[in-house]
Every structure is written in structure tokens, then in C-alpha cells.
Amino acid sequence: MTNVAIIGTEKSGRTSLAANLGKKGTSSDITMYNNAKESRKMVFVDSHGYPKALKSLITVLNISDMAVLCVPPDGLDRNNPASVHTGECIVALDLLGFKHGIIALTKSDSTHMYAIDELIKKIKLMTAGTSLQDWECISLNTNKSAKDPFEGVEDLKAKISEISEKIEAEQAELNSLPTRVFIDHAFNVTGKGCVVLGVVKQGISKDKDKTKIFPMDRDIEIRSIQSHDVDIESAPTGTRVGMRLKNVQAKDIERGFIISDKEIISTDYVLECTISRFTRAIETSSVLHLFVGLQSEPVRVEKILVDGKEVKEAKPGSTCVMELLGNKKVAYSKEDRFLLANLDIPQRFAGYGFTK
Ligand code: GDP
Ligand code: MG
């Protein structure tokens, strides 16, 4: 199953596009749209809580295999204050090393051919050398009263389908790894108990599995699994699932909790970091926002080391080792990529890192 993130700046046409691709389901700061009727099952996730909240963007990206970046006609216009967020989305995708995606040039009915060509040139310049450099640009609209209504939407669907074939092959390779399920929603259902929604990030999750939930580090059992509202016995990598859990209450589960046999739990981190070229220097004692999986929290920069020597600041475009201190327990695995953000500046993403 392919999970598709629909991202972009405010008013970039994200919700209109997502609503065109699937039927609305669960909604919080992110909204799921399912295409349950089609043979190739997909979930499209609208990150509508962004740009106000970075968490909405990162959550959507970390539960997805592919992204559709929506860029409206004025999406890179210097005079448009919202354009900083188009750039911010590109920085986020690049820092995450996000492989698969498409750039949707939205609202094609409200612009001109030559303007679209100019926009594509700008995008190509901005994304050169990033993980988005080979992403295809597709011009489209979702306006039924346009001269050319829904122009480009079928092209987009075809391209998504083409990419999802590659994604399914990649997911199949992850089935042999230890099972990890990222939880994005948890609630109590009368008569059913604790229900969580999330995505199988690796391995195969099975009905009646005895496993654990982190960072609680508590033994649980999977009572049942559903996908697209149908009961299933096992959920391979990539499946968006609903699960009933035994021995845990929904009120104790937060977004980002992980169902897995083993995770690292920590409140402080030593990360090998790469600082973005598009941020400010990061100083010791400053506060950054840390994201890993679907978890996030503020952390204090305790120490910065370059070539083993302590320094006062980490410069944009450089690499360093950063010691960070947080408050709450966070669960992760050695291969997980951490993202760092500075919430005080317009383009908020600051860098990424892995634990040493
Ligand atoms: P979001 O904030 O990114 O979710 O953007 P929306 O999907 O809510 O769209 C923002 C505004 O643009 C709304 O008023 C939409 O009706 C309008 N809009 C979205 N897509 C199109 C389109 O393809 N053509 C035109 N003309 N307007 C659009
Ligand atoms: Mg919206």
C-alpha cells in the first residue's frame, strides 16, 4: 500500500487535490483520504495543520512513502509571504532525504503557459542538488468550472501509480526486518477498548502478536488489525492500519508511540549532524525543536563539537556532533533520522542527524 503526503504552503490547493484523490476519513491536524474503491490501495494525507505547525508536515511525511508538493502560481513569488513555506517544504524533504515525489503546479486555470514554464525553471534551480532534483512537475487544476477542468489530474494519478510500483517493491524488502508500527492516532471505542491508527514502517505486524509499546516499554497484545475497514490477519510494511490493543489505554498513548519488540528510549541525544545551508548558525544553550518518527519536543543544545573540539556555534552547511537535552522520553532506533528546527526564524528547518 502506498501512503502519499499532500504538502505545500497555505492555499496551495492541498485539500482540493486530496479530496479529488480519495474519500475523507480520519481528521485531526492531518486528514486522510482513502481510495478504497480502486484496485491499487492508497491513502492520501493532507498536512493541513502546516504551515502553522511543523509537526503536521513532519507527521505526514514520516507516515508516507511519496510526497506531492503543491506549488501554486505565486508559490515562489518573493512578494508572496506564503512562498517561504514552499521553500521550507523543499528544505524539509531534502533534510529527510525523501526519495519519491512529484511537484504539482496547482491552479493551472488561474495562470498562463509562459508563467508555468518560468515557475518550472525556478523550481529546477531551487531543487538542483536536493533529493527533489529529478521529481517531475505536473501542471494541474481541480476547478470544475475551468476552461480545461481537472487538467493534469489524470496525469498525476498515472505518475503516482507508476512510482507506487517502485515503492511496493521497496516495501517488500523491508518485510523481513523486525516489526515497527508508528502510531498517529489513539482513541477509546466503546465495547472495543483501545484503538490506534498508524502505519507499519517495517516488518509484518500480525493479529495476536505479543509485543511492546514504546516509549512506555509495556507488554501489549494486538487484538485485531484492520486495513481500509476490513479485518486482516497480517499487515506487511507500508500498510496503514487500525489496531485494537490489549493491556494499554488510549489516554496513555501519544502520537509517535511505536509498537515494536525493541526500541531505544532516551531524553538526551548525541547526534552526528548536518546543518542546512538555509538556516542560521546554531549556538550552544539555544533551544531547538527535535523530530524523530512522529515524536517531537524542544531540546537544549548542550554542546557542539567539530573534529572532537568544543565550539560555540554550528555554521550553516557544516557538519558537527551535537549533544542535546530534552525532557520527555522518546523512542527510536539506530537508523532513525532526527530533524532539528529553529522555530524563531521564517524557514524553520535547521538540519538532520543520526545517533552516534
Ligand atoms: P490548501 O490551503 O492548500 O488546502 O488549499 P485549498 O485546497 O483549500 O485551496 C485554496 C483556495 O484555492 C480555495 O479557495 C480553492 O477553492 C482554490 N483552489 C484550489 N485548487 C484550485 C484550482 O485548481 N483552481 C482554482 N481556480 N482555484 C483552486
Ligand atoms: Mg487545506
Side-chain angles (χ1 to χ4, degrees):
M1 182 190 290
T2 305
N3 301 288
V4 186
I6 309 287
I7 66 167
T9 185
E10 219 166 1
K11 303 259 186 299
S12 60
R14 294 166 296 180
T15 304
S16 309
L17 181 60
N20 230 277
L21 298 171
K23 190 169 157 278
K24 192 170 172 182
T26 310
S27 183
S28 57
D29 59 325
I30 62 178
T31 305
M32 318 288 168
Y33 293 82
N34 306 303
N35 76 344
K37 283 198 201 117
E38 319 250 333
S39 56
R40 194 186 282 277
K41 299 275 180 289
M42 293 196 198
V43 180
F44 302 91
V45 199
D46 176 9
S47 60
H48 64 84
Y50 176 82
K52 207 167 157 202
L54 285 188
K55 189 176 172 168
S56 170
L57 178 71
I58 299 303
T59 301
V60 164
L61 291 175
N62 281 344
I63 58 172
S64 298
D65 319 287
M66 181 196 314
V68 175
L69 172 62
C70 296
V71 182
D74 62 353
L76 288 175
D77 199 333
R78 275 175 204 280
N79 301 322
N80 171 15
S83 69
V84 66
H85 298 127
T86 306
E88 188 173 68
C89 286
I90 294 172
V91 174
L93 290 164
D94 189 41
L95 293 178
L96 284 171
F98 212 90
K99 253 175 51 195
H100 299 296
I102 301 165
I103 298 171
L105 306 172
T106 53
K107 309 187 188 184
S108 65
D109 57 311
S110 61
T111 182
H112 303 282
M113 272 286 274
Y114 69 85
I116 292 172
D117 288 342
E118 285 303 308
L119 185 57
I120 291 174
K121 271 188 210 151
K122 262 196 208 171
I123 290 171
K124 287 290 159 203
L125 267 176
M126 272 185 88
T127 56
T130 72
S131 69
L132 296 75
Q133 65 177 357
D134 298 323
W135 291 15
E136 198 172 303
C137 291
I138 297 178
S139 166
L140 58 85
N141 77 68
T142 53
N143 178 7
K144 64 176 186 298
S145 335
K147 210 170 102 198
D148 194 354
F150 304 103
E151 174 204 10
V153 173
E154 286 309 313
D155 295 344
L156 177 77
K157 285 187 187 169
K159 187 71 197 174
I160 290 174
S161 191
E162 185 190 317
I163 296 176
S164 73
E165 267 179 52
K166 279 189 216 156
I167 289 170
E168 282 170 18
E170 289 173 8
Q171 288 171 338
E173 292 192 3
L174 299 179
N175 280 336
S176 56
L177 296 176
T179 308
R180 300 179 82 204
V181 181
F182 284 7
I183 296 172
D184 50 57
H185 295 82
F187 43 86
N188 195 64
V189 177
T190 319
K192 289 192 171 172
C194 174
V195 173
V196 296
L197 306 179
V199 66
V200 182
K201 289 303 285 186
Q202 61 175 57
I204 303 176
S205 187
K206 296 194 182 78
D207 189 16
K208 306 293 177 283
D209 265 354
K210 287 190 168 55
T211 177
K212 287 184 147 197
I213 186 162
F214 289 91
M216 292 169 89
D217 198 3
R218 178 194 283 226
D219 292 321
I220 57 159
E221 188 181 322
I222 296 169
R223 280 195 158 128
S224 63
I225 310 178
Q226 286 198 336
S227 168
H228 276 95
D229 295 328
V230 176
D231 282 313
I232 52 173
E233 304 231 311
S234 75
T237 302
T239 315
R240 188 158 176 85
V241 290
M243 285 178 171
R244 289 205 298 134
L245 303 182
K246 192 170 159 180
N247 199 34
V248 63
Q249 291 192 348
K251 67 171 174 54
D252 298 325
I253 301 179
E254 283 173 40
R255 175 176 295 169
F257 278 26
I258 302 172
I259 297 173
S260 156
D261 287 347
K262 194 163 169 265
E263 296 291 323
I264 303 165
I265 308 168
S266 187
T267 55
D268 54 82
Y269 318 87
V270 180
L271 303 181
E272 307 251 24
C273 292
T274 300
I275 311 300
S276 170
R277 284 184 291 134
F278 307 102
T279 188
R280 258 192 230 154
I282 300 168
E283 293 164 10
T284 317
S285 303
S286 61
V287 172
L288 295 176
H289 217 75
L290 173 135
F291 296 88
V292 62
L294 313 183
Q295 303 157 101
S296 62
E297 71 151 341
V299 289
R300 206 177 101 103
V301 181
E302 296 288 299
K303 214 182 250 184
I304 304 170
L305 299 160
V306 175
D307 295 328
K309 286 201 198 76
E310 200 171 334
V311 295
K312 281 207 192 88
E313 59 172 36
K315 295 198 166 53
S318 72
T319 57
C320 62
V321 171
M322 230 184 254
E323 297 186 15
L324 304 165
L325 182 63
N327 266 318
K328 71 172 190 202
K329 283 184 186 164
V330 166
Y332 59 93
S333 286
K334 192 111 191 67
E335 313 74 44
D336 285 347
R337 187 185 290 246
F338 289 71
L339 270 200
L340 297 169
N342 175 351
L343 302 185
D344 297 330
I345 47 181
Q347 189 299 102
R348 292 164 285 184
F349 290 106
Y352 70 89
F354 294 96
T355 52
K356 248 169 98 81

